[in-house]
Amino acid sequence: NRMKRARARLKPCALKELEVSVSELGLGYESDEIVLFRYCSGTCETAVRNYDLSLKNMRIKKKIKKEKVRARPCCRPLSYDDDVSFLDTYNRYYTVNELSAKECGCV
Amino acid sequence: LASIFSGMDPATNSKSNHCLDAAKACNLNDNCKRLRSAYISTCSREISATELCNRRKCHKALRQFFDRVPSEYTYRLLFCSCKDQACAERRRQTIVPNCSYEDKEKPNCLDLRNLCRTDHLCRSRLADFHTNCQVSFQSLTSCPEDNYQACLGSYAGMIGFDMTPNYIDASIVSITVSPWCSCRGSGNMEEECERFLRDFTENPCLRNAIQAFGNGTDVNLSPKN
């Protein structure tokens, strides 16, 4: 089981999806309407650049001390999905943008 | 046959809301979701304190939705069956009526018909509606050739034109649809006006078609095409 979990953590960065109600998004809207929420998930091991290695070494050698730096790529949306509209429980329509990821990448 | 289907109804969850299910189905399909969002955002975008929305753009976005999204999605949203008011209100709200339907004044229906007839598409869609939803006394369903689909299609075909029809309220006991007009001020054309309006408000073919779609009983009656 631990192997399974470990392997799941090593999945490369990719788009995944969930069916969730608008209320569950936690954005303050009350609606039972179900929307497709697409997000980015996975590791970026293979996307490490010389930039990351060098930055890491600069930090080890204390050339960079106080600044907040990130020496490994992140799995993040490269672009976002189209707008999503829904009717809330008070019969008002809302449209939200950049809710879902469209394309993922290690940046 | 209808009794077999209606017998299935109590088994379904009392909390089930077919109009909400229809919205879900649309949201999970990229094309439907995109075009639904397009008309909703256009139709609910306030222009100024005095102008609720851009009606012309709203109508255009609605026409694109009904033209480009398959009817399996659009009809489900438009003709979903309801057991409670929340569901029926959602059904009424489908076309964003405060922008696409309601207006400050209710024009005379014959004046509205004349306006519709100046636009060749509105004119032909209205003619289709009169043909396909015309009450027939020779058929079981009250529809010409028992073809529910043709009637529903011509009803949906008028949405986004000057003759846009909608549910007049969120009633679950009686389904009444109408364009936004009345027969007040018809003068000596009163009778013709009433006859025209009744094609929407008191049309057993249209009502049966909507109800049959909502109950899922239409599949057995409409001819395969």
Side-chain angles (χ1 to χ4, degrees):
Chain A
N1 244 343
R2 196 192 285 170
M3 279 298 286
K4 210 182 218 174
R5 250 179 292 149
R7 234 180 293 134
R9 270 199 298 266
L10 287 174
K11 281 225 175 103
C13 178
L15 196 63
K16 293 185 79 177
E17 57 185 45
L18 272 178
E19 289 175 20
V20 290
S21 78
V22 170
S23 294
E24 285 172 318
L25 294 170
L27 296 174
Y29 301 106
E30 283 180 56
S31 172
D32 294 330
E33 224 172 277
I34 306 289
V35 294
L36 197 61
F37 178 69
R38 291 195 176 104
Y39 63 100
C40 298
S41 150
T43 62
C44 288
E45 309 288 330
T46 57
V48 172
R49 284 119 165 135
N50 286 322
Y51 166 83
D52 300 296
L53 295 174
S54 306
L55 187 61
K56 200 170 148 196
N57 289 327
M58 290 310 108
R59 204 163 49 186
I60 290 166
K61 292 186 172 138
K62 309 272 192 209
K63 293 248 182 197
I64 295 168
K65 277 177 285 190
K66 284 177 184 163
E67 298 149 79
K68 173 115 174 125
V69 290
R70 190 170 169 92
R72 51 164 63 157
C74 261
C75 178
R76 289 280 303 165
L78 297 177
S79 60
Y80 293 88
D81 225 342
D82 303 314
D83 294 354
V84 181
S85 297
F86 56 86
L87 187 70
D88 79 353
T89 44
Y90 306 101
N91 295 309
R92 284 175 310 212
Y93 277 112
Y94 290 97
T95 301
V96 291
N97 59 13
E98 300 188 335
L99 172 70
S100 258
K102 189 178 184 177
E103 199 187 348
C104 300
C106 292
V107 293
Chain B
L1 199 62
S3 63
I4 300 169
F5 276 92
S6 62
M8 274 162 57
D9 249 26
T12 60
N13 192 340
S14 61
K15 269 181 79 186
S16 74
N17 177 332
H18 291 301
C19 297
L20 198 57
D21 295 343
K24 175 183 173 180
C26 181
N27 285 341
L28 298 185
N29 175 280
D30 280 329
N31 183 45
C32 188
K33 183 196 76 175
R34 188 171 54 82
L35 288 163
R36 177 172 179 248
S37 279
Y39 84 72
I40 288 174
S41 59
T42 308
C43 299
S44 53
R45 190 179 300 132
E46 221 170 286
I47 306 291
S48 65
T50 50
E51 249 187 306
L52 205 61
C53 65
N54 186 325
R55 193 185 177 109
R56 198 177 50 80
K57 284 187 178 167
C58 168
H59 275 179
K60 188 181 177 190
L62 274 167
R63 293 198 301 271
Q64 285 178 343
F65 177 74
F66 286 102
D67 282 347
R68 297 179 191 174
V69 177
S71 58
E72 59 179 296
Y73 295 106
T74 58
Y75 288 15
R76 256 184 102 179
L77 281 165
L78 207 50
F79 307 122
C80 40
S81 68
C82 286
K83 285 175 206 143
D84 61 63
Q85 200 131 23
C87 172
E89 179 58 23
R90 173 174 275 278
R91 178 172 62 194
R92 192 185 79 83
Q93 289 286 349
T94 303
I95 63 165
V96 199
N98 64 18
C99 180
S100 70
Y101 182 63
E102 290 155 27
D103 213 339
K104 283 167 223 122
E105 285 160 50
K106 251 190 186 179
N108 178 275
C109 293
L110 296 180
D111 290 346
L112 191 66
R113 184 174 70 178
N114 286 339
L115 182 66
C116 172
R117 284 176 173 173
T118 59
D119 171 16
H120 75 280
L121 257 179
C122 189
R123 185 192 187 99
S124 80
R125 297 287 171 95
L126 181 61
D128 284 348
F129 172 75
H130 283 305
T131 308
N132 294 322
C133 297
Q134 188 181 55
V135 180
S136 160
F137 298 101
Q138 276 121 47
S139 69
L140 193 66
T141 59
S142 307
C143 285
E145 294 169 38
D146 292 321
N147 190 345
Y148 280 154
Q149 292 288 326
C151 175
L152 295 180
S154 2
Y155 173 90
M158 284 185 298
I159 294 169
F161 292 97
D162 289 319
M163 201 50 81
T164 298
N166 197 27
Y167 299 92
I168 60 160
D169 54 31
S171 166
I172 45 166
V173 278
S174 68
I175 290 177
T176 309
V177 297
S178 169
W180 186 258
C181 66
S182 82
C183 282
R184 290 223 325 237
S186 295
N188 63 352
M189 306 279 274
E190 175 102 36
E191 210 173 303
E192 190 183 345
C193 184
E194 292 290 351
R195 199 164 49 238
F196 171 79
L197 188 54
R198 272 201 302 272
D199 266 357
F200 292 88
T201 58
E202 292 168 44
N203 183 329
C205 161
L206 180 59
R207 197 182 310 125
N208 290 342
I210 293 174
Q211 272 166 353
F213 183 89
N215 299 334
T217 48
D218 61 324
V219 277
N220 305 291
L221 288 163
S222 66
K224 288 188 176 71
N225 41 10

